[in-house]
Amino acid sequence: MDILTAIFVTPFSEIVAGPVFFLEVVVSGLLTGIMYSLVALGFVLIFKASGIFNFAQGVLVLFAALTLVGLMERGVPVIAAIPLTMIVMIVLAMLVEKLMLRPLVNQDPLILFMATIGLSFVLEGLGETLWGSNVKRLDIGIPEDVWQVDVGDKYMLLNSFDVYAAVTGAILVVGLAVFFHKTPIGRALRAVADDHQAAMSVGIPLRTIWVIVWSVSGMVALVAGIMWGGKSGVQFSLSLIALKALPVLILGGLTSVPGAIIGGLIIGVGEKVAEVYWGPAIGGAIENWFAYALALVFLLFRPQGLFGERIIERV
Amino acid sequence: MFYREAGQFKTTYQSDQAIFPIAQDRWFVFAVVAVAYLVVPFVANEYWLQAILIPFLVFAMAAIGLNLLLGYAGQLSLGTGAFMSVGAYATYKLTTAFPDMNIIVAFLLSGLITAGVGILFGIPSLRIKGLYLAVATLAAQFFLNWLFNKVSWFYTHNPSGTITAPPRTTLGVMVSGPEATAEARYMVCLILVTVFAVLAKNLVRGRVGRSWMAIRDMDIAAEIIGFKPLHTKLLAFAISSFYCGLAGAMSLYLWLGSAETEAYNILVSFQVLFMVILGGLGSMLGSFLGAAFVTVLPVFLTNAPQLVGVTMATDLQKHLEVMIFGGLIIYFLIVEPHGLARLWQIAKEKLRRWPFPY
Amino acid sequence: MAKERTNGEVLLDVDNISLSFGGVQAIQDVSFDVLRGEVRAIIGPNGAGKSSMLNCINGFYHPQKGTITYKGVKRSQMRTHEAAAQGIARTFQNIALFKGMSTLDNIMTGRNLKMKVNFLLQALYLGPARREELEHREFVEKIIDFLEIQAIRKTPVGRLPYGLQKRVELGRALAAEPELLLLDEPMAGMNTEEKEDMSRFILDVSDEFGTTIVLIEHDMGVVMDLSDRVVVLDYGKKIADGTPDEVRTNPDVIDAYLGVAHD
């Protein structure tokens, strides 16, 4: 009986009783959601352009963060370390294209997916070999204060770091959306995503596109790495963020940039609200699987995600 | 010149349908099985049994399970680890609640329980396909991991959260618990794996196997021919989960002795996935080859430096191992995406022609 | 020339079927019947709605209007596996074989509905399971002999040339012992010899098993030789219905094929 009340009654009454706190939770969820979107975006870019589901995206985040911290630890100033890391990510993209994508062109998507899992192992091992595997602090100077935002006669507490991260994320996301839809390169990327053969036949160089896409994903990973790493330290668990991005992708549709954004927000808010209001009733830590359950429920109604392409099958 | 099929004519459909229609294959397999049953238990040392052979058998069982679901029925599942955990926990609860239950019966029952869970989590496959389905199975993976961790009934409120296999005997021999010898545990694993591998092979070459492959290759056409997608897919999930659950029970009772949910986390799911892909999708032999490869490789990598006389910091060694493992995966996928089973077939083709080049 | 095959009983009656996708009207108010035992051709220029018509008959598409009466049972909606259970089998324009399986296995899948033994017995491969498998294997081997594809029995169909794949697909449809066989452009992409072989097989199927056949085909010679009656579709509408000779001389049909401008 208690558990039923705890699930169906208490959370709602708590929400109604403390609307400002609820708002705080929602905002916190939105902020986290933007961060998820950022990681999911990296996936979407690569999937759209090459049809590969890049499991290594999470490790790219880790690797980028490790490289940045590693450089900074060796005395390179932030202003130089960031561009240097970007260069590293671009070089990485070129290596991946040459050593992995090219030999595996035209293979089954499942094989490519497995290859990216292999890649994630390689990058993880490499990153830790080069820069060590202890937890590192990442501080590039983003202020971490607690802000007080007045709402009516109550107030909300916000972490300034989260806000800066969210704003950066939002800018990046909007920038990428514009990039995709307004620039010639963006057009070429969309062409490749639609049809490799057709794109090649109008002269779009497939391999260059792939390098570009993986580089952009690498940079997105770097930003995500800075944001997440700054929050919780740079360590192996950072790569598991990718696993959180998966439900976002599912919700939003694997091929949709707006889907990644909206999916991220929904998952971020959903997760936070569920954890705060329903978590205590069922034992806590439901963040581990709640996002997946939410995505699963959505999938049952829309198997291609909110914005994904409808797969039409013909015989 | 040794491996020719010429002259081996089949006169009945029955002999054509046999599992090993080529005589040389039959002899080879019988030899391997004979060695496994008669020679290994007396010759192998504790380390080999505990670190290599027993886990190989446990994972071979899990790999067969995943192969049935992914290789034959085409349903991508990333929840293998979680299904193994269901088997392990189910057996644990059964044997602690019914101390007189025969351990093999407990194994089989927990396999059935896992099959039930598998059906439940397989239901989304009727609407969702491919990568989306994989993520749905991740929901199962994370949820079950959380469930067994949080709900203390599963580990009978043991404060450390681990479950330990109680001692049990079969036919007078102690097979689980601290006093069971590695040989005894190995034999039980071996028997279970041989029996269930044969059952799986039978399923796969008959109507059930064909229905799975039809759904895998072109589910629309399959439905038009009359295969019912619901039954076919759920049966695949059920049987596959049975095998994974059995493997989980084996892992707890016959290999690890005690475990907690971390032993069945997503990394295990990926491990089994590697086994199936590296070994060869849709191939029973592939399940074995893949399991062997993935079980033996880390052991090899851990010991290799010493064999060559090089000493390395354990940290560094571990990182290198991970890198090499990932690199090998990519390498194998490039060289032979159809897995070791296909390489084996190619080797047989060459053997057929030997000593001629073509 | 087609000889008298039918006893006059109506096996399939298509009544005022209309089908549209989004804004596109694929079929508009089409009616015709198919007599048991006859070979009925559906012809028409590309895009006329012929494949869609076949898809409606076997339940893959669901028409918005109209009914289909099959074996006396009127229905407007049927799922594909129900159609299969009712004795309808078909081949496809773009070949829908199971590429990962061998010829033998593909044709064996056609026997699926006749195989009843449950999976537990199959796992043990004892008694009933083994007998059933071998029984159906024999039947399938007869089909393989009939279609002269013994040599490629164990080859994975993905590796076969197009013409042979089409033959295997026919085999799979025949394995189901259908009462109504729907063939979607069975001769597409074949050379003259292959077409002659395929025509012979189709005629043999009709003569030996009495199967009713509905066939979509572009080759006029084939249509004239094989079919008893012809339906002509153009832009989703029926423009002619009768014997091959009647249809061949019909001015509307000639216009449609020559591409006279439509208003």
Side-chain angles (χ1 to χ4, degrees), chain B residues 223-307:
Chain B
E223 197 178 343
I224 292 181
I225 293 189
F227 290 110
K228 291 188 233 160
L230 178 69
H231 293 153
T232 313
K233 288 184 185 176
L234 289 184
L235 187 62
F237 269 97
I239 296 185
S240 164
S241 308
F242 179 90
Y243 275 75
C244 293
L246 191 52
M250 283 163 66
S251 75
L252 178 64
Y253 280 73
L254 304 172
W255 177 35
L256 298 169
S258 63
E260 40 177 51
T261 51
E262 274 313 291
Y264 302 106
N265 65 12
I266 189 167
L267 292 175
V268 173
S269 298
F270 280 133
Q271 245 185 321
V272 183
L273 185 59
F274 286 142
M275 292 178 198
V276 163
I277 302 220
L278 284 177
L281 286 170
S283 154
M284 292 298 292
L285 175 64
S287 314
F288 284 99
L289 292 177
F293 187 81
V294 176
T295 334
V296 171
L297 186 65
V299 176
F300 176 73
L301 285 177
T302 318
N303 293 322
Q306 288 147 318
L307 291 174

Side-chain angles (χ1 to χ4, degrees), chain B residues 13-14 16-17 199 202-203 205 207-208 210 213-214 217-218 220-221 223-227 235 239, chain C residues 58 60 79-81 84 96 98 100 105 108 112 115 117 122-124 130 133-134 137-138 141 154 172:
Chain B
Y13 294 133
Q14 183 150 326
D16 198 44
Q17 304 269 74
L199 292 180
N202 281 337
L203 271 182
R205 61 192 171 121
R207 173 174 61 91
V208 172
R210 281 193 295 268
M213 292 194 273
D217 285 341
M218 201 180 272
I220 299 180
E223 197 178 343
I224 292 181
I225 293 189
F227 290 110
L235 187 62
I239 296 185
Chain C
N58 89 314
F60 187 56
R79 293 212 58 191
T80 47
H81 57 251
F98 304 121
D105 277 335
M108 284 290 274
N112 172 60
M115 298 182 81
V117 174
Q122 280 190 27
L124 298 169
R130 185 189 295 200
E133 181 83 8
L134 292 172
R137 171 81 189 260
E138 260 195 75
E141 288 287 343
K154 296 282 175 87
R172 186 180 65 179

Side-chain angles (χ1 to χ4, degrees), chain C residues 91-229:
Chain C
T91 64
F92 300 87
Q93 204 170 352
N94 291 319
I95 299 190
L97 285 175
F98 304 121
K99 297 276 161 78
M101 294 199 252
S102 66
T103 302
L104 179 62
D105 277 335
N106 263 280
I107 303 183
M108 284 290 274
T109 62
R111 292 304 285 168
N112 172 60
L113 285 171
K114 317 250 175 228
M115 298 182 81
K116 302 286 178 214
V117 174
N118 73 35
F119 73 94
L120 283 171
L121 284 177
Q122 280 190 27
L124 298 169
Y125 203 59
L126 290 178
R130 185 189 295 200
R131 267 197 303 274
E132 186 183 68
E133 181 83 8
L134 292 172
E135 211 179 273
H136 291 290
R137 171 81 189 260
E138 260 195 75
F139 187 86
V140 165
E141 288 287 343
K142 292 208 189 84
I143 295 184
I144 291 180
D145 284 340
F146 172 68
L147 292 171
E148 293 163 19
I149 45 179
Q150 299 91 328
I152 52 165
R153 209 193 257 116
K154 296 282 175 87
T155 321
V157 296
R159 293 204 216 145
L160 293 174
Y162 188 77
L164 281 178
Q165 284 190 18
K166 278 214 166 280
R167 216 187 279 188
V168 173
E169 223 198 357
L170 179 61
R172 186 180 65 179
L174 292 178
E177 291 179 275
E179 289 179 61
L180 176 61
L181 182 60
L182 309 173
L183 302 176
D184 198 340
E185 300 200 32
M187 322 261 184
M190 288 186 176
N191 62 30
T192 328
E193 280 107 48
E194 287 171 328
K195 283 193 190 179
E196 282 175 12
D197 284 337
M198 200 55 137
S199 304
R200 184 166 39 92
F201 293 137
I202 294 177
L203 277 178
D204 282 345
V205 166
S206 172
D207 290 340
E208 282 181 37
F209 306 120
T211 316
T212 312
I213 300 178
V214 175
L215 125 101
I216 295 178
E217 192 38 65
H218 278 296
D219 184 328
M220 278 308 121
V222 164
V223 169
M224 297 303 143
D225 279 341
L226 289 185
S227 40
D228 296 315
R229 291 191 298 152

Side-chain angles (χ1 to χ4, degrees), chain A residues 47 53 55 99-100 103-104 107-108 110-129 132-133 236 240 243 246-247 249-250 253-255 282-286 288-289 292-293 295-296 299-305 308-311 313-315, chain B residues 70 76 78 121 123-125 127-129 131-147 149-151 218-221 224 266-267 270-271 273-275 277-278 281 315-316 318-320 322-330 333-339:
Chain A
F47 191 77
F53 188 81
F55 186 77
L99 297 175
M100 201 176 91
L104 286 176
Q107 285 295 348
D108 205 61
L110 181 61
I111 304 282
L112 289 164
F113 173 63
M114 298 300 302
T116 61
I117 302 186
L119 179 65
S120 71
F121 283 169
V122 172
L123 286 179
E124 186 199 314
L126 184 63
E128 290 182 344
T129 313
S133 58
F236 170 68
L240 298 177
L243 291 176
L246 290 182
L249 287 168
I250 294 304
L254 280 169
T255 47
I282 338 185
I286 60 177
N288 287 353
W289 54 267
Y292 281 90
L296 182 56
L299 268 188
L300 292 175
F301 294 108
R302 268 190 85 87
Q304 71 274 29
E309 286 150 16
R310 199 97 217 255
I311 313 159
E313 299 184 298
R314 327 200 66 163
V315 196
Chain B
L70 176 58
L76 180 54
L78 293 178
F121 282 103
I123 291 178
S125 73
R127 283 273 284 172
I128 315 172
K129 294 190 188 167
L131 217 38
Y132 295 101
L133 179 63
V135 180
T137 55
L138 277 182
Q141 172 71 45
F142 292 131
F143 176 73
L144 289 170
N145 271 158
W146 173 86
L147 187 68
N149 219 326
K150 278 281 176 247
V151 179
M218 201 180 272
D219 52 354
I220 299 180
I224 292 181
I266 189 167
L267 292 175
F270 280 133
Q271 245 185 321
L273 185 59
F274 286 142
M275 292 178 198
I277 302 220
L278 284 177
L281 286 170
D315 249 20
L316 179 61
K318 194 148 189 314
H319 297 321
L320 282 179
V322 169
M323 274 183 71
I324 294 179
F325 190 62
L328 276 176
I329 288 175
I330 299 182
L333 288 175
I334 293 177
V335 161
E336 184 45 80
H338 295 280

Side-chain angles (χ1 to χ4, degrees), chain B residues 46 49-51 53-58 61 88 91 103-104 107 164-166 168-170 173-177 180-193 246-258 264:
Chain B
E46 177 95 18
L49 285 171
Q50 180 65 17
L53 292 170
I54 293 181
F56 160 66
L57 289 170
V58 168
M61 182 72 89
T91 320
I103 183 113
I104 302 294
F107 279 2
T164 309
R168 285 286 180 276
T169 59
T170 294
V173 180
M174 180 80 73
V175 294
S176 74
T181 59
E183 286 83 6
R185 292 182 279 123
Y186 165 78
M187 286 307 291
V188 177
C189 282
L190 189 61
I191 295 173
L192 284 172
V193 169
L246 191 52
M250 283 163 66
S251 75
L252 178 64
Y253 280 73
L254 304 172
W255 177 35
L256 298 169
S258 63
Y264 302 106

Side-chain angles (χ1 to χ4, degrees), chain C residues 18-34:
Chain C
S18 290
L19 174 74
S20 64
F21 306 108
V24 180
Q25 187 84 25
I27 300 176
Q28 207 171 334
D29 270 337
V30 170
S31 304
F32 62 91
D33 63 14
V34 180

